[in-house]
Amino acid sequence: MVSTLHPHFGDHPVTDRLRDLARRVRQAETPERAATLAAELLDLVEAITLMHHEAGHAAAYYALTPASQIRLVRVTFDSQEIRGPGFDHFAAVVRDLPDTWPGNAHEALLELACLLAGPLHTPEYEGRYGQAHIRQDVALQGTDALRVGELLEAFEEDGLDPEERRREAERLATDPALIPPVRELARVLFDAWDAGQRDVPGDVLDTVLARHLHRPRE
């Protein structure tokens, strides 16, 4: 049986859509119709999951980095704006940062935490029709994976234990204070995507995140 209660979205209207799709899968008169409906269900869950992933990135950047260094420009749903793997759905945090970032080991640690926050805040969703947390399985492919690898190599070159740095970054990225803003922002992102918007601008991101977090000073 497919669970229709997605993490963090229990009281969101999309839960009713998931429940209805699961019911229609069970009642489908042919295997072909059941497969089509199941694909729709998993497609919707992939979108929900993706929004949590990007909300994790955005919340971590807001909580860990100063606005004078990192500016959240928008979350885009346009796959042509940023090159990446060919997913059915696309979202990415667009940020403005200086060429000198990260300029030291501390800033590198913060950047690592922000990169890891995406997959670490991606909820799992498993059901009878296979895994729908596709984004989690490939979360560190592409540019993010390259950047994580580069940062870990830089730590090692500087005489720092890369695994210890990664563990510290994961601790920062999983701070319980990030959970409420990730949940709220994921809903905002999903609703915008579901409404066919091209992106969510930075001022909206800042407004949502400021309700839960304070940006650090220099």
Side-chain angles (χ1 to χ4, degrees), residues 77-144:
F77 308 130
D78 182 2
S79 61
Q80 300 303 310
E81 183 169 355
I82 298 177
R83 295 180 62 84
F87 297 107
D88 291 336
H89 306 312
F90 177 86
V93 178
V94 179
R95 59 198 187 280
D96 182 26
L97 65 166
D99 292 337
T100 56
W101 176 274
N104 54 51
H106 177 66
E107 291 178 352
L109 175 66
L110 299 181
E111 177 70 11
L112 180 59
C114 294
L115 291 171
L116 295 177
L120 289 172
H121 284 277
T122 301
E124 294 184 2
Y125 183 97
E126 298 183 11
R128 178 178 173 183
Y129 305 101
Q131 291 180 291
H133 55 282
I134 301 169
R135 292 291 303 196
Q136 187 174 45
D137 296 339
V138 295
L140 283 178
Q141 289 187 5
T143 304
D144 283 359

Side-chain angles (χ1 to χ4, degrees), residues 123-193:
E124 294 184 2
Y125 183 97
E126 298 183 11
R128 178 178 173 183
Y129 305 101
Q131 291 180 291
H133 55 282
I134 301 169
R135 292 291 303 196
Q136 187 174 45
D137 296 339
V138 295
L140 283 178
Q141 289 187 5
T143 304
D144 283 359
L146 291 174
R147 289 292 296 128
V148 167
E150 290 170 355
L151 290 168
L152 294 175
E153 287 178 8
F155 287 134
E156 188 169 19
E157 290 173 0
D158 288 343
L160 301 171
D161 183 347
E163 288 308 309
E164 189 278 330
R165 293 288 82 193
R166 184 180 185 119
R167 287 192 295 271
E168 176 61 13
E170 290 179 350
R171 185 189 68 78
L172 292 171
T174 55
D175 184 335
L178 293 177
I179 294 175
V182 168
R183 290 181 176 180
E184 183 177 353
L185 184 57
R187 290 170 180 241
V188 170
L189 297 178
F190 176 82
D191 288 342
W193 170 85

Side-chain angles (χ1 to χ4, degrees), residues 58 62 71-77 81 92-95 185 188-189 192-193 197-209:
Y62 191 94
R71 183 172 67 91
L72 298 176
V73 179
R74 62 187 168 277
V75 170
T76 180
F77 308 130
E81 183 169 355
V93 178
V94 179
R95 59 198 187 280
L185 184 57
V188 170
L189 297 178
W193 170 85
Q197 295 182 26
R198 184 176 181 274
D199 57 35
V200 175
D203 60 339
V204 174
L205 305 179
D206 288 343
T207 297
V208 172
L209 296 172

